[in-house]
Amino acid sequence: MNATALWHARTRLGVRPMRALFDLLRGPASAIRTAGARWAGLLVVAIDGTYLNVADDADVWARLGKGANQYTAASGYPQVLLIALVACGTRAVIDAVFGPRKPGEPVLGRRLLRSLRQGMVVLLDRGFATNAFLQAVADTDADLLIVSE
């Protein structure tokens, strides 16, 4: 089977099989003694986002809109926001979400709260420092640490 055949198979099947496989395999992937995975008995996890360029296609532009950089110039390709919850010691992806650049990290990141538990310490950067997001994280009973610089 070649790359084109795999692409056609994925197109035919849609995202459901990949989502089911991800849900089956996701998790912290660490034992209680995995070096660097825990601090003070808490599983160290981080939430952060990044932007990914996607196909330069009219349908994609219509759905995602034009992005802009820090100088407010339109970006060359449409972009999707990927936000992941990662176990820091193993770098295993516990959960992830994709979406348009807007409404931004704190809004899209709320979908990751389903995977936060008591016994975790969550590292966040200042991009997530909104009162609503911080309260939502606190409501999960996970501990919280925000780096402001």
Side-chain angles (χ1 to χ4, degrees):
M1 184 175 277
N2 63 26
T4 303
L6 287 172
W7 181 84
H8 283 292
R10 283 194 312 266
T11 302
R12 246 187 348 268
L13 293 173
V15 299
R16 285 187 180 159
M18 291 303 290
R19 183 176 291 140
L21 181 62
F22 178 76
D23 286 341
L24 180 68
L25 298 176
R26 70 189 174 104
S30 68
I32 212 71
R33 294 187 179 150
T34 302
R38 295 186 180 271
W39 175 78
L42 300 171
L43 179 65
V44 181
V45 298
I47 297 176
D48 204 1
T50 189
Y51 296 102
L52 304 171
N53 291 338
V54 292
D56 190 10
D57 179 83
D59 292 337
V60 175
W61 280 113
R63 183 164 183 171
L64 296 177
K66 286 204 178 241
N69 60 28
Q70 68 268 28
Y71 307 109
T72 68
S75 61
Y77 285 91
Q79 292 183 320
V80 66
L81 175 57
L82 163 65
I83 302 178
L85 171 63
V86 178
C88 294
T90 60
R91 299 184 190 113
V93 177
I94 297 170
D95 203 351
V97 294
F98 291 90
R101 289 178 61 103
K102 291 181 180 178
E105 286 180 328
V107 174
L108 189 58
R110 290 176 72 85
R111 292 175 31 204
L112 296 175
L113 301 180
R114 62 188 175 209
S115 297
L116 296 181
R117 306 277 182 272
Q118 184 176 18
M120 293 179 167
V121 60
V122 184
L123 308 178
L124 300 171
D125 65 24
R126 64 182 175 201
F128 292 95
T130 67
N131 289 338
F133 188 78
L134 298 178
Q135 184 60 55
V137 171
D139 291 343
T140 68
D141 292 327
D143 289 295
L144 180 61
L145 179 64
I146 302 168
V147 180
S148 67
E149 292 189 32

PDB file of all heavy atoms in Angstrom, residues 54-74:
ATOM      1  N   VAL A  54      -2.073  24.642   7.551  1.00  0.00           N
ATOM      2  CA  VAL A  54      -2.876  23.594   6.920  1.00  0.00           C
ATOM      3  C   VAL A  54      -3.042  23.930   5.444  1.00  0.00           C
ATOM      4  O   VAL A  54      -2.550  24.948   4.958  1.00  0.00           O
ATOM      5  CB  VAL A  54      -4.247  23.425   7.627  1.00  0.00           C
ATOM      6  CG1 VAL A  54      -4.055  22.864   9.027  1.00  0.00           C
ATOM      7  CG2 VAL A  54      -5.019  24.716   7.693  1.00  0.00           C
ATOM      8  N   ALA A  55      -3.728  23.084   4.729  1.00  0.00           N
ATOM      9  CA  ALA A  55      -3.846  23.200   3.275  1.00  0.00           C
ATOM     10  C   ALA A  55      -4.334  24.580   2.849  1.00  0.00           C
ATOM     11  O   ALA A  55      -5.280  25.127   3.412  1.00  0.00           O
ATOM     12  CB  ALA A  55      -4.780  22.135   2.735  1.00  0.00           C
ATOM     13  N   ASP A  56      -3.677  25.125   1.852  1.00  0.00           N
ATOM     14  CA  ASP A  56      -4.049  26.421   1.276  1.00  0.00           C
ATOM     15  C   ASP A  56      -5.157  26.164   0.267  1.00  0.00           C
ATOM     16  O   ASP A  56      -4.931  26.079  -0.932  1.00  0.00           O
ATOM     17  CB  ASP A  56      -2.823  27.072   0.627  1.00  0.00           C
ATOM     18  CG  ASP A  56      -3.082  28.505   0.224  1.00  0.00           C
ATOM     19  OD1 ASP A  56      -4.131  29.045   0.610  1.00  0.00           O
ATOM     20  OD2 ASP A  56      -2.230  29.071  -0.464  1.00  0.00           O
ATOM     21  N   ASP A  57      -6.354  26.032   0.776  1.00  0.00           N
ATOM     22  CA  ASP A  57      -7.498  25.614  -0.014  1.00  0.00           C
ATOM     23  C   ASP A  57      -8.668  26.544   0.289  1.00  0.00           C
ATOM     24  O   ASP A  57      -8.830  26.993   1.426  1.00  0.00           O
ATOM     25  CB  ASP A  57      -7.826  24.160   0.370  1.00  0.00           C
ATOM     26  CG  ASP A  57      -9.020  23.619  -0.360  1.00  0.00           C
ATOM     27  OD1 ASP A  57      -8.860  23.161  -1.501  1.00  0.00           O
ATOM     28  OD2 ASP A  57     -10.123  23.660   0.220  1.00  0.00           O
ATOM     29  N   ALA A  58      -9.484  26.817  -0.693  1.00  0.00           N
ATOM     30  CA  ALA A  58     -10.604  27.749  -0.519  1.00  0.00           C
ATOM     31  C   ALA A  58     -11.566  27.289   0.572  1.00  0.00           C
ATOM     32  O   ALA A  58     -12.061  28.104   1.363  1.00  0.00           O
ATOM     33  CB  ALA A  58     -11.346  27.930  -1.838  1.00  0.00           C
ATOM     34  N   ASP A  59     -11.841  25.981   0.656  1.00  0.00           N
ATOM     35  CA  ASP A  59     -12.744  25.472   1.688  1.00  0.00           C
ATOM     36  C   ASP A  59     -12.161  25.679   3.087  1.00  0.00           C
ATOM     37  O   ASP A  59     -12.876  25.999   4.032  1.00  0.00           O
ATOM     38  CB  ASP A  59     -13.031  23.983   1.470  1.00  0.00           C
ATOM     39  CG  ASP A  59     -13.862  23.733   0.216  1.00  0.00           C
ATOM     40  OD1 ASP A  59     -14.566  24.665  -0.225  1.00  0.00           O
ATOM     41  OD2 ASP A  59     -13.811  22.607  -0.306  1.00  0.00           O
ATOM     42  N   VAL A  60     -10.847  25.480   3.207  1.00  0.00           N
ATOM     43  CA  VAL A  60     -10.190  25.659   4.497  1.00  0.00           C
ATOM     44  C   VAL A  60     -10.191  27.132   4.881  1.00  0.00           C
ATOM     45  O   VAL A  60     -10.477  27.485   6.027  1.00  0.00           O
ATOM     46  CB  VAL A  60      -8.749  25.088   4.460  1.00  0.00           C
ATOM     47  CG1 VAL A  60      -8.020  25.388   5.752  1.00  0.00           C
ATOM     48  CG2 VAL A  60      -8.785  23.601   4.181  1.00  0.00           C
ATOM     49  N   TRP A  61      -9.888  28.015   3.916  1.00  0.00           N
ATOM     50  CA  TRP A  61      -9.924  29.459   4.190  1.00  0.00           C
ATOM     51  C   TRP A  61     -11.316  29.879   4.660  1.00  0.00           C
ATOM     52  O   TRP A  61     -11.464  30.665   5.583  1.00  0.00           O
ATOM     53  CB  TRP A  61      -9.561  30.272   2.952  1.00  0.00           C
ATOM     54  CG  TRP A  61      -8.097  30.377   2.678  1.00  0.00           C
ATOM     55  CD1 TRP A  61      -7.421  29.839   1.623  1.00  0.00           C
ATOM     56  CD2 TRP A  61      -7.116  31.072   3.453  1.00  0.00           C
ATOM     57  NE1 TRP A  61      -6.086  30.150   1.705  1.00  0.00           N
ATOM     58  CE2 TRP A  61      -5.865  30.912   2.810  1.00  0.00           C
ATOM     59  CE3 TRP A  61      -7.166  31.813   4.624  1.00  0.00           C
ATOM     60  CZ2 TRP A  61      -4.691  31.459   3.300  1.00  0.00           C
ATOM     61  CZ3 TRP A  61      -5.994  32.360   5.120  1.00  0.00           C
ATOM     62  CH2 TRP A  61      -4.770  32.182   4.460  1.00  0.00           C
ATOM     63  N   ALA A  62     -12.348  29.324   4.004  1.00  0.00           N
ATOM     64  CA  ALA A  62     -13.720  29.690   4.368  1.00  0.00           C
ATOM     65  C   ALA A  62     -14.041  29.273   5.802  1.00  0.00           C
ATOM     66  O   ALA A  62     -14.739  29.985   6.517  1.00  0.00           O
ATOM     67  CB  ALA A  62     -14.702  29.046   3.397  1.00  0.00           C
ATOM     68  N   ARG A  63     -13.513  28.145   6.232  1.00  0.00           N
ATOM     69  CA  ARG A  63     -13.806  27.654   7.579  1.00  0.00           C
ATOM     70  C   ARG A  63     -12.950  28.321   8.654  1.00  0.00           C
ATOM     71  O   ARG A  63     -13.429  28.629   9.732  1.00  0.00           O
ATOM     72  CB  ARG A  63     -13.602  26.152   7.619  1.00  0.00           C
ATOM     73  CG  ARG A  63     -13.955  25.577   8.948  1.00  0.00           C
ATOM     74  CD  ARG A  63     -14.120  24.119   8.904  1.00  0.00           C
ATOM     75  NE  ARG A  63     -14.522  23.682  10.236  1.00  0.00           N
ATOM     76  CZ  ARG A  63     -14.913  22.492  10.513  1.00  0.00           C
ATOM     77  NH1 ARG A  63     -14.973  21.601   9.569  1.00  0.00           N
ATOM     78  NH2 ARG A  63     -15.241  22.169  11.726  1.00  0.00           N
ATOM     79  N   LEU A  64     -11.663  28.528   8.354  1.00  0.00           N
ATOM     80  CA  LEU A  64     -10.740  29.047   9.362  1.00  0.00           C
ATOM     81  C   LEU A  64     -10.512  30.547   9.284  1.00  0.00           C
ATOM     82  O   LEU A  64     -10.096  31.159  10.257  1.00  0.00           O
ATOM     83  CB  LEU A  64      -9.381  28.334   9.251  1.00  0.00           C
ATOM     84  CG  LEU A  64      -9.373  26.844   9.532  1.00  0.00           C
ATOM     85  CD1 LEU A  64      -7.980  26.279   9.320  1.00  0.00           C
ATOM     86  CD2 LEU A  64      -9.871  26.558  10.934  1.00  0.00           C
ATOM     87  N   GLY A  65     -10.747  31.129   8.123  1.00  0.00           N
ATOM     88  CA  GLY A  65     -10.464  32.544   7.950  1.00  0.00           C
ATOM     89  C   GLY A  65      -8.981  32.796   7.789  1.00  0.00           C
ATOM     90  O   GLY A  65      -8.166  31.886   7.849  1.00  0.00           O
ATOM     91  N   LYS A  66      -8.624  34.038   7.580  1.00  0.00           N
ATOM     92  CA  LYS A  66      -7.212  34.409   7.443  1.00  0.00           C
ATOM     93  C   LYS A  66      -6.634  34.687   8.812  1.00  0.00           C
ATOM     94  O   LYS A  66      -7.239  35.364   9.616  1.00  0.00           O
ATOM     95  CB  LYS A  66      -7.057  35.649   6.558  1.00  0.00           C
ATOM     96  CG  LYS A  66      -7.266  35.375   5.102  1.00  0.00           C
ATOM     97  CD  LYS A  66      -6.550  36.428   4.285  1.00  0.00           C
ATOM     98  CE  LYS A  66      -6.730  36.114   2.824  1.00  0.00           C
ATOM     99  NZ  LYS A  66      -5.505  35.876   2.144  1.00  0.00           N
ATOM    100  N   GLY A  67      -5.444  34.160   9.033  1.00  0.00           N
ATOM    101  CA  GLY A  67      -4.738  34.447  10.268  1.00  0.00           C
ATOM    102  C   GLY A  67      -3.924  35.713  10.107  1.00  0.00           C
ATOM    103  O   GLY A  67      -3.769  36.253   9.017  1.00  0.00           O
ATOM    104  N   ALA A  68      -3.400  36.198  11.211  1.00  0.00           N
ATOM    105  CA  ALA A  68      -2.549  37.388  11.186  1.00  0.00           C
ATOM    106  C   ALA A  68      -1.380  37.166  12.133  1.00  0.00           C
ATOM    107  O   ALA A  68      -1.488  36.413  13.095  1.00  0.00           O
ATOM    108  CB  ALA A  68      -3.335  38.622  11.594  1.00  0.00           C
ATOM    109  N   ASN A  69      -0.273  37.837  11.843  1.00  0.00           N
ATOM    110  CA  ASN A  69       0.879  37.740  12.735  1.00  0.00           C
ATOM    111  C   ASN A  69       0.889  38.921  13.701  1.00  0.00           C
ATOM    112  O   ASN A  69      -0.051  39.707  13.743  1.00  0.00           O
ATOM    113  CB  ASN A  69       2.183  37.646  11.929  1.00  0.00           C
ATOM    114  CG  ASN A  69       2.398  38.858  11.031  1.00  0.00           C
ATOM    115  OD1 ASN A  69       1.933  39.953  11.325  1.00  0.00           O
ATOM    116  ND2 ASN A  69       3.103  38.666   9.936  1.00  0.00           N
ATOM    117  N   GLN A  70       1.975  39.057  14.468  1.00  0.00           N
ATOM    118  CA  GLN A  70       2.040  40.130  15.465  1.00  0.00           C
ATOM    119  C   GLN A  70       2.023  41.519  14.843  1.00  0.00           C
ATOM    120  O   GLN A  70       1.815  42.501  15.527  1.00  0.00           O
ATOM    121  CB  GLN A  70       3.261  39.954  16.387  1.00  0.00           C
ATOM    122  CG  GLN A  70       4.594  40.145  15.715  1.00  0.00           C
ATOM    123  CD  GLN A  70       5.179  38.834  15.174  1.00  0.00           C
ATOM    124  OE1 GLN A  70       4.455  37.917  14.827  1.00  0.00           O
ATOM    125  NE2 GLN A  70       6.489  38.753  15.119  1.00  0.00           N
ATOM    126  N   TYR A  71       2.285  41.624  13.558  1.00  0.00           N
ATOM    127  CA  TYR A  71       2.267  42.909  12.869  1.00  0.00           C
ATOM    128  C   TYR A  71       0.943  43.141  12.152  1.00  0.00           C
ATOM    129  O   TYR A  71       0.806  44.050  11.363  1.00  0.00           O
ATOM    130  CB  TYR A  71       3.422  42.987  11.873  1.00  0.00           C
ATOM    131  CG  TYR A  71       4.747  42.687  12.524  1.00  0.00           C
ATOM    132  CD1 TYR A  71       5.409  41.503  12.257  1.00  0.00           C
ATOM    133  CD2 TYR A  71       5.318  43.571  13.440  1.00  0.00           C
ATOM    134  CE1 TYR A  71       6.622  41.205  12.863  1.00  0.00           C
ATOM    135  CE2 TYR A  71       6.518  43.281  14.061  1.00  0.00           C
ATOM    136  CZ  TYR A  71       7.167  42.102  13.772  1.00  0.00           C
ATOM    137  OH  TYR A  71       8.353  41.811  14.383  1.00  0.00           O
ATOM    138  N   THR A  72      -0.027  42.273  12.381  1.00  0.00           N
ATOM    139  CA  THR A  72      -1.377  42.287  11.808  1.00  0.00           C
ATOM    140  C   THR A  72      -1.409  42.044  10.314  1.00  0.00           C
ATOM    141  O   THR A  72      -2.420  42.269   9.673  1.00  0.00           O
ATOM    142  CB  THR A  72      -2.161  43.574  12.152  1.00  0.00           C
ATOM    143  OG1 THR A  72      -1.564  44.696  11.496  1.00  0.00           O
ATOM    144  CG2 THR A  72      -2.246  43.792  13.644  1.00  0.00           C
ATOM    145  N   ALA A  73      -0.310  41.575   9.746  1.00  0.00           N
ATOM    146  CA  ALA A  73      -0.321  41.198   8.337  1.00  0.00           C
ATOM    147  C   ALA A  73      -0.966  39.828   8.208  1.00  0.00           C
ATOM    148  O   ALA A  73      -0.828  38.979   9.078  1.00  0.00           O
ATOM    149  CB  ALA A  73       1.111  41.162   7.796  1.00  0.00           C
ATOM    150  N   ALA A  74      -1.685  39.592   7.129  1.00  0.00           N
ATOM    151  CA  ALA A  74      -2.317  38.298   6.906  1.00  0.00           C
ATOM    152  C   ALA A  74      -1.251  37.232   6.717  1.00  0.00           C
ATOM    153  O   ALA A  74      -0.224  37.461   6.096  1.00  0.00           O
ATOM    154  CB  ALA A  74      -3.225  38.364   5.680  1.00  0.00           C
TER     155      ALA A  74
END
